[in-house]
Amino acid sequence: MEPADIGLWGVPLAILGGAIRVSTPFIFVSLGEAITERSGRINLGLEGILVFGAMTAYAIAVVTGSPWLGVLGAAGTGVLFGLFHGWICKFPKVNDIAIGIALMLFGSGLAFFFGKPYIQPSAPDLPALPLGFWSDIPQVQAALSVNVLFLIGAALSVALWWAFRNTRAGLVIRVVGDSGDAARAMGLNPNIVRLLATAVGGAFAAVGGAYLSLYYPGSWNEGISSGQGLMAVALVIFARWNPLGCFAAALLFGGAGALGPALQSVGVTQGYYLFYAAPYVLTLGIMIATSSRGRSLAGAPGELSITK
């Protein structure tokens, strides 16, 4: 490839690599929220779980020297937060949206408090696979350096899409999410199913946080999330509660988030910072575009509080 061609393909390659890196937290958080909402519950506390998961993973990696132990530890804390949210929301007249907001503030506050000693220490990074090994062009190699969690997220998207349609567990979650009365008639306990679904969703969100602190951007600080947990909730609505749709929408959000760095990487020195707002503009645009009653709730589980 000639130098002129490298310059021509510089921005697309940078956006591709950035989309892969930036989309990974969105993939995990959106898949977790899709599972939770499919069961008939909304968890807006995923932002707090994401931040606490990032802090937990970084702290464990610093202490043990193993980033994978950090990921497992983050998933464990996500399960605990999910169980806490699910347990409270089972009580009558408890609003899951309000509880989620409280959990978001609680999780973020705890992360900031316990994470202060770990702002300076350096933790080992999660490994990446050099899928661009076949090329001697640095831009291609950088774009195709893919973290293992991205591949796991892609596989989970396909697995969940299949599971919702072809397994008993998937059918149980869908029935509970669509009608609690129908689930009880089948001998199911909706509270237990939603509790477990919320716990799994919390684990997914915390793994997304672990990716942030242990790979990209690869550090722990109090502003690490930038609202990605909340944006993922809009992403799930945009994807119509479909795991494959969540994966595609996460890549779209990731590409939008990569615009600013991509332009900066090819020498654009003025105005590129405006493109850092692209994910937030995209989120706002999606919410406006799907704000009509017919479109915004098309395909929504019947037991979600936003449908009542």
Side-chain angles (χ1 to χ4, degrees), residues 18-301:
I20 293 174
R21 289 190 296 270
V22 177
S23 66
T24 303
F26 286 119
I27 292 171
F28 278 93
V29 180
S30 63
L31 289 178
E33 181 65 4
I35 295 172
T36 302
E37 293 192 14
R38 279 280 197 164
S39 73
R41 179 162 290 155
I42 296 176
N43 185 3
L44 293 183
L46 292 182
E47 173 74 9
I49 298 175
L50 178 81
V51 175
F52 195 87
M55 184 279 298
T56 301
Y58 197 82
I60 292 177
V62 168
V63 172
T64 66
S66 171
W68 289 113
L69 285 179
V71 173
L72 290 176
T77 62
V79 168
L80 293 177
F81 274 104
L83 289 173
F84 180 65
H85 182 279
W87 176 74
I88 292 179
C89 291
K90 75 175 184 178
F91 295 107
K93 297 183 180 180
V94 172
N95 187 290
D96 54 359
I97 294 178
I99 295 300
I101 294 173
L103 185 64
M104 174 181 66
L105 299 174
F106 179 64
S108 299
L110 280 181
F112 298 160
F113 178 77
F114 289 113
K116 288 187 181 298
Y118 299 100
I119 292 178
Q120 294 298 328
S122 178
D125 292 337
L126 288 166
L129 300 178
L131 300 185
F133 65 89
W134 50 269
S135 174
D136 58 357
I137 301 172
Q139 290 89 337
V140 174
Q141 294 176 354
L144 297 181
S145 180
V146 179
N147 186 268
V148 176
L149 284 182
F150 174 82
L151 300 178
I152 294 175
L156 285 173
S157 301
V158 177
L160 286 173
W161 173 81
W162 180 84
F164 277 136
R165 289 163 172 75
N166 299 283
T167 66
R168 174 177 171 79
L171 177 62
V172 166
I173 292 175
R174 290 166 54 198
V175 169
V176 169
D178 286 333
S179 174
D181 292 336
R184 293 184 188 91
M186 295 173 60
L188 301 173
N189 187 331
N191 287 331
I192 296 297
V193 174
R194 289 171 185 153
L195 179 71
L196 295 176
T198 308
V200 173
F204 276 45
V207 171
Y211 174 89
L212 287 175
S213 61
L214 295 178
Y215 186 73
Y216 185 80
S219 62
W220 159 247
N221 60 77
E222 296 181 354
I224 192 169
S225 171
S226 302
Q228 292 185 47
L230 290 175
M231 284 189 284
V233 176
L235 188 154
V236 172
I237 297 174
F238 176 62
R240 294 294 183 265
W241 297 270
N242 183 329
L244 290 181
C246 289
F247 180 77
L251 284 176
L252 177 63
F253 274 58
L259 278 176
L263 292 175
Q264 188 180 12
S265 69
V266 296
V268 177
T269 58
Q270 293 184 344
Y272 68 86
Y273 51 85
L274 294 175
F275 288 93
Y276 281 93
Y280 307 99
V281 175
L282 182 61
T283 301
L284 180 60
I286 287 172
M287 298 308 295
I288 293 174
T290 61
S291 60
S292 65
R293 174 174 289 274
R295 292 191 61 188
S296 62
L297 302 182

Side-chain angles (χ1 to χ4, degrees), residues 1-13 266:
M1 186 178 290
E2 298 296 329
D5 294 330
I6 295 176
L8 178 64
W9 288 98
V11 173
L13 285 173
V266 296

